[in-house]
Amino acid sequence: MTDNEAFLKTARQVVTDEARALDVLADGLDKHFAEAVHMILQASGRVIVSGIGKSGHIGHKIAATLASTGTPAYFVHPAEASHGDLGMVSKGDVVLAISNSGEAPELANLLAFTRRFGIPLIGLSSKPESSLMKQADVHLLIPSLGEACGFGMVPSISTTLTLAMGDALAIALMKYRDFKPENFRDFHPGGKLGAQLSKVRDLMHTDIPVVLSDTPMSEALLVMSQKSFGVVGVTDADGRLLGIVTDGDLRRNMDGLLEKAVEDVMTRNPMTIAPGALAEEAVAIMNERKITSLFVVEPEQGCLAQGLLHIHDCLRVGLG
């Protein structure tokens, strides 16, 4: 066996072992998981996540996922908790303590604090008889299936299961709270994710090129050129969008163009989009129709022209 073959064999075994462990975890979820969800839902404060070592790294991620999906949470390092950070834990909070062995000595002061002041404690461990689980009010037990290294010393299967348990907890809470994509965007305004969740109203131009239907084409061309969108909207006297004039319409009506009125040239009933739609949906429409802009109208308000979204606006934020 070559080195490359050996590497791939090991990698596939690790992934296979972890995938099988996840199946065991899923099959073993029971009423204790539901109790943990209810405990967090009933709390008036935040979820304080704590753990040491690899459990701490996973705990950071779990706290971040909870916070970004509608459950206020933060991570408290157990060693720092013993040196003043216990003041960050208060009545109304719930503590989620993570330790695969359930015997991490660094957690002792935090656990004692929760018992002293009656703060609900959720224990996440693979050892049901451990010190952590004996003190916890609710037990989130992950199956003890060894580690992918084969000699039980490199946190791998255990950390994967812990992470999955945290994700399951966060998403169960999210779904119960009916946490919607627009709520998610409020916590993720930046990066690719923020772009994907942007609304049309966030990106559209409100200073838009529009003319009345009886406007001479000579005037409409000036408006079209001044705004540099390559399109002009056509409205009635009340501002309702009737049609658009594009470069294609100009080419199709070159003969006597300047003697015509806008209504003789325009494309009627153009494709539009609502301001509350996701910008990603607008990009899909523009790509499918092979167009570069969409007028933004609100059907419930009589199709009044409210803005214009150009493909360049979407590309600028990473969509397209």
Side-chain angles (χ1 to χ4, degrees):
M1 181 183 295
T2 66
D3 286 344
N4 287 349
E5 289 172 337
F7 298 153
L8 290 173
K9 180 180 179 181
T10 299
R12 292 188 179 109
Q13 187 60 55
V14 170
V15 174
T16 299
D17 289 346
E18 293 190 352
R20 288 173 179 164
L22 287 169
D23 286 335
V24 175
L25 174 66
D27 291 340
L29 290 174
D30 56 17
K31 65 177 183 178
H32 297 294
F33 180 86
E35 289 172 358
V37 174
H38 283 297
M39 178 174 284
I40 294 172
L41 289 171
Q42 292 165 6
S44 59
R46 303 187 176 212
V47 178
I48 290 85
V49 184
S50 191
I52 195 74
K54 301 300 187 294
S55 293
H57 295 312
I58 298 299
H60 272 287
K61 193 274 180 185
I62 292 173
T65 301
L66 286 167
S68 68
T69 52
T71 298
Y74 56 88
F75 181 84
V76 172
H77 194 285
E80 297 297 333
S82 299
H83 294 275
D85 280 4
L86 281 174
M88 300 171 70
V89 185
S90 61
K91 288 282 189 179
D93 291 339
V94 174
V95 170
L96 172 60
I98 304 171
S99 171
N100 184 45
S101 68
E103 301 295 347
E106 295 85 356
L107 286 170
N109 288 333
L110 176 60
L111 300 185
F113 185 86
T114 66
R115 303 304 79 190
R116 179 181 177 188
F117 292 100
I119 295 170
L121 173 63
I122 301 170
L124 202 171
S125 174
S126 67
K127 307 298 185 208
E129 299 303 318
S130 63
S131 299
L132 169 59
M133 297 304 249
K134 287 178 179 178
Q135 295 186 67
D137 300 300
V138 173
H139 305 146
L140 290 179
L141 187 66
I142 60 171
S144 183
L145 300 172
E147 303 292 0
C149 62
F151 46 84
M153 296 187 66
V154 180
S156 46
I157 290 175
S158 62
T159 50
T160 296
L161 294 177
T162 303
L163 181 61
M165 183 71 85
D167 287 342
L169 194 62
I171 293 173
L173 289 160
M174 179 185 79
K175 288 185 177 294
Y176 181 87
R177 291 188 167 112
D178 196 25
F179 195 81
K180 294 182 171 59
E182 51 265 33
N183 306 123
F184 199 71
R185 181 186 175 275
D186 291 338
F187 299 127
H188 298 79
K192 180 68 173 178
L193 186 55
Q196 289 175 332
L197 296 172
S198 294
K199 296 291 184 68
V200 168
R201 66 168 61 92
D202 300 325
L203 304 178
M204 72 182 188
H205 298 268
T206 54
D207 182 17
I208 55 177
V210 292
V211 296
L212 297 175
S213 58
D214 58 355
T215 301
M217 277 303 303
S218 57
E219 295 181 21
L221 285 172
L222 288 175
V223 174
M224 192 172 178
S225 299
Q226 289 169 352
K227 299 297 183 180
S228 302
F229 290 116
V231 64
V232 64
V234 183
T235 68
D236 62 15
D238 295 321
R240 288 187 290 266
L241 189 70
L242 304 175
I244 59 172
V245 177
T246 67
D247 290 335
D249 295 315
L250 298 182
R251 289 193 296 271
R252 286 187 290 272
N253 291 273
M254 287 299 295
D255 187 19
L257 177 66
L258 299 181
E259 282 72 48
K260 296 178 180 179
V262 169
E263 60 188 347
D264 300 322
V265 177
M266 70 181 187
T267 296
R268 299 178 183 275
N269 301 316
M271 176 62 67
T272 60
I273 195 157
L278 289 174
E280 195 171 40
E281 178 186 342
V283 171
I285 292 172
M286 286 189 271
N287 287 338
E288 180 184 354
R289 299 286 181 120
K290 294 181 171 54
I291 57 179
T292 59
S293 58
L294 284 170
F295 271 89
V296 183
V297 303
E298 184 58 78
E300 295 180 1
Q301 297 180 9
C303 291
L304 295 177
Q306 297 187 0
L308 177 71
L309 183 68
H310 197 278
I311 189 66
H312 290 164
D313 304 314
C314 300
L315 292 173
R316 237 186 334 263
V317 297
L319 295 174

